Amino acid sequence: MLAKVNVASKLSLFNEHYSPKIIGEVNDLYVKVAKLQGEFTWHHHENEDELFYVVKGALRMKVRENGKENEFLIMPGEFIVIPCGMEHLPSADEETHIMLLEPKTTLNTGNVVNERTVSDLERI
Amino acid sequence: MLAKVNVASKLSLFNEHYSPKIIGEVNDLYVKVAKLQGEFTWHHHENEDELFYVVKGALRMKVRENGKENEFLIMPGEFIVIPCGMEHLPSADEETHIMLLEPKTTLNTGNVVNERTVSDLERI
């Protein structure tokens, strides 16, 4: 059944941090939303690029590129694409709402499996 | 070179209607932006789903589903995914700014080739 999706409405359906939910799919990719607060876990994805689009708040993204650490602050209406293989650490000082685009094979913690790994994502 | 992308800034770089520009890529998909005004062309994409996210304005999307015509009005912060094979007709009463997500193989006019076909997309 074809329907339009309101991103903010989907984000109003849950409160957990770092627990992405599926809200759509485009061929081999899922569209997800998540709420972030505090620091996540350094990780990378072997084969998957990952797009982070900020809806509300501010996403602080640390990356390790050619042995150097770098930081980007992504604001609402902005996105960053982390290419596969790149170590990254998402964090947010205040609660931040994002939309994610990534291949269906993507595990949220990438090469790391820990207590923050969510392998069976809910569709909302 | 890793960089963040401001979607509205990218949209300020051009004025043409129905001429999508590439602003990013996530594995096999391109992220594009476009400005729409007036009616496009009925078409479908044989193998590609297509996500339309509205940044500004209002996107009127007509679709033909099981022999019936249906219309959706997509507002800022909302998206619709047109699955492959579905006939659709984007239009906009006033100038509307959108972000698109679709496989790199997608041609803007799908199965139709006419004066609105843009086969060599600019990257901005």
Side-chain angles (χ1 to χ4, degrees), chain B residues 11 14-21 32-41 43 50-61 74 80 88-100 108 116:
Chain B
L11 279 156
F14 64 96
N15 293 310
E16 314 97 275
H17 294 152
Y18 291 106
S19 181
K21 316 287 183 194
K32 302 173 187 174
V33 284
K35 293 183 174 177
L36 316 183
Q37 191 163 13
E39 198 167 78
F40 199 51
T41 304
H43 66 284
E50 205 173 16
L51 183 149
F52 298 79
Y53 176 86
V54 175
V55 174
K56 185 178 154 185
L59 170 64
R60 197 175 292 282
M61 181 68 78
I74 324 295
I80 193 165
H88 57 287
L89 174 66
S91 73
D93 301 341
E94 299 188 3
E95 188 177 86
T96 293
H97 298 181
I98 63 169
M99 184 160 66
L100 286 157
N108 65 328
R116 307 190 95 161

Side-chain angles (χ1 to χ4, degrees), chain A residues 4-5 27 29 49 78-79, chain B residues 4-5 27 49 78-79:
Chain A
K4 69 175 185 175
V5 175
N27 290 89
L29 274 83
D49 302 337
E78 297 182 337
F79 69 79
Chain B
K4 69 175 186 175
V5 175
N27 291 89
D49 302 338
E78 298 182 337
F79 69 78

Side-chain angles (χ1 to χ4, degrees), chain B:
Chain B
M1 188 62 196
L2 194 65
K4 69 175 186 175
V5 175
N6 184 299
V7 177
S9 299
K10 292 295 189 187
L11 279 156
S12 74
L13 298 177
F14 64 96
N15 293 310
E16 314 97 275
H17 294 152
Y18 291 106
S19 181
K21 316 287 183 194
I22 298 167
I23 63 165
E25 52 190 292
V26 184
N27 291 89
D28 297 335
L29 274 83
Y30 278 137
V31 185
K32 302 173 187 174
V33 284
K35 293 183 174 177
L36 316 183
Q37 191 163 13
E39 198 167 78
F40 199 51
T41 304
W42 277 104
H43 66 284
H44 71 272
H45 303 278
E46 219 53 70
N47 303 303
E48 296 96 352
D49 302 338
E50 205 173 16
L51 183 149
F52 298 79
Y53 176 86
V54 175
V55 174
K56 185 178 154 185
L59 170 64
R60 197 175 292 282
M61 181 68 78
K62 287 187 183 163
V63 299
R64 291 186 186 133
E65 223 181 339
N66 309 318
K68 273 195 186 169
E69 201 167 297
N70 207 343
E71 187 177 299
F72 296 89
L73 190 66
I74 324 295
M75 303 302 291
E78 298 182 337
F79 69 78
I80 193 165
V81 179
I82 304 296
C84 61
M86 184 178 285
E87 290 285 328
H88 57 287
L89 174 66
S91 73
D93 301 341
E94 299 188 3
E95 188 177 86
T96 293
H97 298 181
I98 63 169
M99 184 160 66
L100 286 157
L101 294 159
E102 48 195 20
K104 292 178 179 174
T105 49
T106 308
L107 189 66
N108 65 328
T109 50
N111 62 315
V112 178
V113 174
N114 62 18
E115 74 287 352
R116 307 190 95 161
T117 302
V118 184
S119 52
D120 193 17
L121 295 194
E122 197 184 350
R123 190 183 285 261
I124 59 172

Side-chain angles (χ1 to χ4, degrees), chain A residues 57-73:
Chain A
L59 169 64
R60 197 175 293 282
M61 181 67 78
K62 288 188 182 163
V63 299
R64 292 186 186 131
E65 225 182 339
N66 309 317
K68 273 195 186 169
E69 201 167 296
N70 207 345
E71 187 178 300
F72 296 88
L73 191 66

Side-chain angles (χ1 to χ4, degrees), chain A residues 18-34:
Chain A
Y18 290 107
S19 181
K21 316 286 183 196
I22 298 167
I23 62 166
E25 53 191 291
V26 184
N27 290 89
D28 296 334
L29 274 83
Y30 278 137
V31 185
K32 301 174 187 173
V33 285

Side-chain angles (χ1 to χ4, degrees), chain A residues 18-123:
Chain A
Y18 290 107
S19 181
K21 316 286 183 196
I22 298 167
I23 62 166
E25 53 191 291
V26 184
N27 290 89
D28 296 334
L29 274 83
Y30 278 137
V31 185
K32 301 174 187 173
V33 285
K35 293 183 175 179
L36 317 183
Q37 190 163 13
E39 198 167 78
F40 198 52
T41 304
W42 277 103
H43 67 282
H44 71 273
H45 303 278
E46 219 53 71
N47 303 303
E48 295 97 351
D49 302 337
E50 206 172 14
L51 182 150
F52 297 80
Y53 176 87
V54 175
V55 175
K56 183 178 154 185
L59 169 64
R60 197 175 293 282
M61 181 67 78
K62 288 188 182 163
V63 299
R64 292 186 186 131
E65 225 182 339
N66 309 317
K68 273 195 186 169
E69 201 167 296
N70 207 345
E71 187 178 300
F72 296 88
L73 191 66
I74 324 296
M75 303 301 292
E78 297 182 337
F79 69 79
I80 193 166
V81 179
I82 305 295
C84 61
M86 183 178 286
E87 289 286 327
H88 58 286
L89 175 64
S91 73
D93 301 342
E94 300 187 3
E95 188 176 87
T96 293
H97 298 182
I98 63 170
M99 183 162 64
L100 288 156
L101 292 160
E102 49 196 18
K104 292 178 179 174
T105 50
T106 307
L107 190 65
N108 65 328
T109 51
N111 62 314
V112 177
V113 174
N114 62 18
E115 74 287 353
R116 306 190 97 163
T117 302
V118 184
S119 51
D120 193 17
L121 295 194
E122 196 184 348
R123 189 183 284 261

